[in-house]
């Protein structure tokens, strides 16, 4: 699916249930993909994956709201 460098990747929990080595491999690939001007839409529960984001949104009560992309930890969970 990735061999043709699609313009957009839609990923749902791409590193879920992976060991640390595989998580780093996925993150490294996604960083390369972004440098090649690809676009990624990602859903995640992994705070470490947020460093890949240019924009950050949270879903609360069925509504999607943009939040400061630098939020982490308790400041991020407060947005929920």
């Amino acid at each position: 699916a990735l061999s043709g460098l699609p313009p957009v990747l839609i990923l749902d929990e791409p590193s879920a249930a992976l060991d640390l080595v595989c998580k780093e491999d996925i993150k490294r690939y996604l960083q390369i993909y972004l440098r090649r001007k690809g676009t990624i839409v990602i859903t995640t529960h992994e705070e470490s994956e947020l460093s890949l984001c240019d924009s950050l949104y949270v879903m609360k009560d069925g509504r999607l709201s943009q939040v400061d992309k630098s939020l982490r930890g308790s400041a991020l969970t407060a947005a929920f």
Side-chain angles (χ1 to χ4, degrees), residues 2-36:
L2 301 175
S3 64
L5 192 64
V8 178
L9 293 179
I10 300 173
L11 305 173
D12 181 18
E13 304 272 348
S15 66
L18 297 178
D19 62 35
L20 293 176
V21 172
C22 290
K23 285 179 189 260
E24 281 302 311
D25 287 345
I26 295 288
K27 186 175 181 179
R28 193 174 313 109
Y29 173 81
L30 294 177
Q31 289 168 331
I32 291 167
Y33 179 85
L34 289 170
R35 283 196 298 269
R36 293 181 177 169

Side-chain angles (χ1 to χ4, degrees), residues 4-78:
L5 192 64
V8 178
L9 293 179
I10 300 173
L11 305 173
D12 181 18
E13 304 272 348
S15 66
L18 297 178
D19 62 35
L20 293 176
V21 172
C22 290
K23 285 179 189 260
E24 281 302 311
D25 287 345
I26 295 288
K27 186 175 181 179
R28 193 174 313 109
Y29 173 81
L30 294 177
Q31 289 168 331
I32 291 167
Y33 179 85
L34 289 170
R35 283 196 298 269
R36 293 181 177 169
K37 305 299 182 200
T39 299
I40 302 171
V41 177
I42 185 172
T43 60
T44 187
H45 290 96
E46 299 282 339
E47 192 170 280
S48 64
E49 291 177 345
L50 300 180
S51 65
L52 296 167
C53 300
D54 291 328
S55 301
L56 182 61
Y57 295 81
V58 296
M59 184 170 285
K60 180 178 180 181
D61 299 327
R63 294 181 185 220
L64 198 59
S65 301
Q66 188 170 11
V67 296
D68 182 339
K69 70 177 186 170
S70 67
L71 291 178
R72 299 293 184 273
S74 60
L76 179 59
T77 56

